[in-house]
Amino acid sequence: FNAGNAEVQWFNVEACIVFHMANAWQEGDNGEIVRLIGGRMNKFDFDGILHFDVVKNRKNGYNVPRIYEWKLNTKTGEVQERVINDEYRDVEMPLIHPLYEGRKVKY
């Protein structure tokens, strides 16, 4: 990727860790809105993931991932963040059908 500093736009989002994105797309009249959907965690303990008891008991920093949405406005720099559905947890690697990747999703 050969974009220089002038072509990269940074956004301030809440600190978190995301291993996998489910989808992303642009919308708006000129594609100025970028939406990202992924499995978000507040923190993660790499040592804890190696020990079943830590994960089972949710101790020592292991955090339950949730499906999350980031809405980035490339014109204003505004960021909106939200949990999409708090009912479904432990979704660290969300997937959608490959034919729908990069397209706006309903759910």
Side-chain angles (χ1 to χ4, degrees):
F1 186 68
N2 292 326
N5 288 339
E7 296 180 48
V8 175
Q9 185 173 356
W10 295 96
F11 294 87
N12 290 320
V13 299
E14 288 185 39
C16 64
I17 185 164
V18 178
F19 284 115
H20 303 99
M21 285 293 180
N23 200 10
W25 67 90
Q26 291 180 272
E27 51 188 42
D29 294 335
N30 297 309
E32 68 273 8
I33 303 296
V34 176
R35 289 188 185 255
L36 305 165
I37 309 292
R40 180 189 188 277
M41 293 178 276
N42 293 331
K43 57 186 175 178
F44 188 81
D45 178 6
F46 282 98
D47 185 49
I49 195 66
L50 301 175
H51 302 94
F52 176 74
D53 289 339
V54 174
V55 175
K56 179 181 172 187
N57 298 318
R58 306 287 192 236
K59 294 180 181 176
N60 300 326
Y62 185 83
N63 189 251
V64 178
R66 292 176 172 84
I67 300 295
Y68 207 76
E69 177 185 42
W70 294 265
K71 180 180 175 183
L72 313 175
N73 187 316
T74 60
K75 284 188 177 180
T76 66
E78 179 186 11
V79 174
Q80 295 177 359
E81 304 179 52
R82 70 182 180 106
V83 173
I84 291 179
N85 189 329
D86 202 35
E87 182 179 338
Y88 299 106
R89 299 179 181 191
D90 280 336
V91 184
E92 188 272 316
M93 189 171 175
L95 296 172
I96 64 168
H97 192 286
L99 292 177
Y100 296 99
E101 290 175 353
R103 296 182 184 186
K104 184 177 181 177
V105 295
K106 185 174 180 180
Y107 303 103

